[in-house]
Amino acid sequence: MPKVSKAGKFRKAAAAPKKDEAPTALSRGQRKRQAKREQYLKREKMILSSLQLKKQEEQNHRLDGLDALKEALATVDTSTSEALNANEPVASNTIKGRKKLAAREMQHMNLVLDHPAFQSNPFETLQQHLRNTLAGSAKEQEQKSKARTKTDRQEKEAKKQQKMERIQAAGGKHRKKFHAARKSK
């Protein structure tokens, strides 16, 4: 055992920097590793900076608030939206249909933005609109759900009745087979 401890002490002494040597004297392998690490850090820094630039560009292109939305709507030509018929169904799978739909929606959005209730408190107005529109649809959904559960219950009862009739028609033979199989085990 003492040989190992002496070798360990030797290695520690050899690894420790000597007082008269400069600490920047690196071996060839250490210099290579340091150069690779510097290249890696340089690449990582470049990637992070490009991601930050992309993120900033995305934030700049995003609409921030109602003023930017109103400005974007003002740039759209409203003359084409006046020519559109409001009752006509829109085919949005064609370019022409998409343009008609966009023009109609722009016209509707302009009306919403000009509404005094929306201008005074936009979020409260949106909440009120959702309450009004979703309340009717919620009642419809509830009625449909009740009707569906009623029909499901009736179907279940009908199946149960048919099963009972089959059992009575068979004269209870299935029970005899079941009990006979249990007794044999």
Side-chain angles (χ1 to χ4, degrees):
M1 288 294 186
K3 291 182 181 178
V4 174
S5 62
K6 287 181 184 177
K9 288 180 184 177
F10 175 74
R11 287 187 189 126
K12 287 180 186 176
K18 297 179 182 175
K19 293 180 182 177
D20 48 328
E21 280 187 2
T24 58
L26 299 173
S27 68
R28 181 172 178 241
Q30 288 173 333
R31 286 191 306 265
K32 281 184 172 183
R33 282 190 294 265
Q34 188 175 15
K36 281 184 181 181
R37 178 157 174 77
E38 287 173 358
Q39 283 179 342
Y40 170 76
L41 291 174
K42 190 176 181 181
R43 251 186 269 127
E44 187 176 348
K45 184 178 178 182
M46 184 178 63
I47 290 170
L48 289 175
S49 65
S50 68
L51 289 175
Q52 286 177 344
L53 286 174
K54 281 184 183 179
K55 192 174 184 180
Q56 286 177 350
E57 287 177 11
E58 287 175 5
Q59 287 177 351
N60 290 340
H61 292 295
R62 200 172 23 158
L63 294 176
D64 295 329
L66 301 174
D67 295 332
L69 183 62
K70 196 166 189 174
E71 289 173 10
L73 288 173
T75 60
V76 175
D77 185 16
T78 58
S79 64
T80 58
S81 64
E82 294 172 2
L84 294 175
N85 186 4
N87 296 331
E88 181 181 319
V90 177
S92 62
N93 56 356
T94 63
I95 295 172
K96 189 176 181 181
R98 281 188 227 128
K99 285 182 180 179
K100 283 184 180 181
L101 179 64
R104 186 174 293 139
E105 287 177 355
M106 292 294 190
Q107 184 180 18
H108 187 80
M109 190 63 185
N110 280 329
L111 291 173
V112 169
L113 289 174
D114 291 338
H115 196 277
F118 185 80
Q119 288 177 350
S120 65
N121 192 351
F123 294 111
E124 179 61 35
T125 307
L126 285 173
Q127 287 177 344
Q128 184 66 35
H129 171 70
L130 290 174
R131 274 188 234 120
N132 293 340
T133 56
L134 296 179
S137 64
K139 288 179 184 177
E140 282 182 29
Q141 291 295 328
E142 189 176 331
Q143 289 174 353
K144 287 179 183 178
S145 176
K146 285 181 181 179
R148 192 179 316 118
T149 54
K150 187 176 179 181
T151 56
D152 288 347
R153 195 178 310 126
Q154 289 173 351
E155 289 174 3
K156 195 174 184 180
E157 289 292 325
K159 285 182 181 179
K160 192 183 280 188
Q161 188 66 27
Q162 288 175 354
K163 185 177 180 181
M164 291 299 290
E165 290 173 0
R166 280 184 286 168
I167 290 171
Q168 288 176 354
K173 292 180 183 176
H174 76 286
R175 290 185 183 170
K176 291 179 185 176
K177 289 180 185 177
F178 176 71
H179 291 298
R182 276 183 65 191
K183 288 181 182 178
S184 66
K185 287 183 180 180

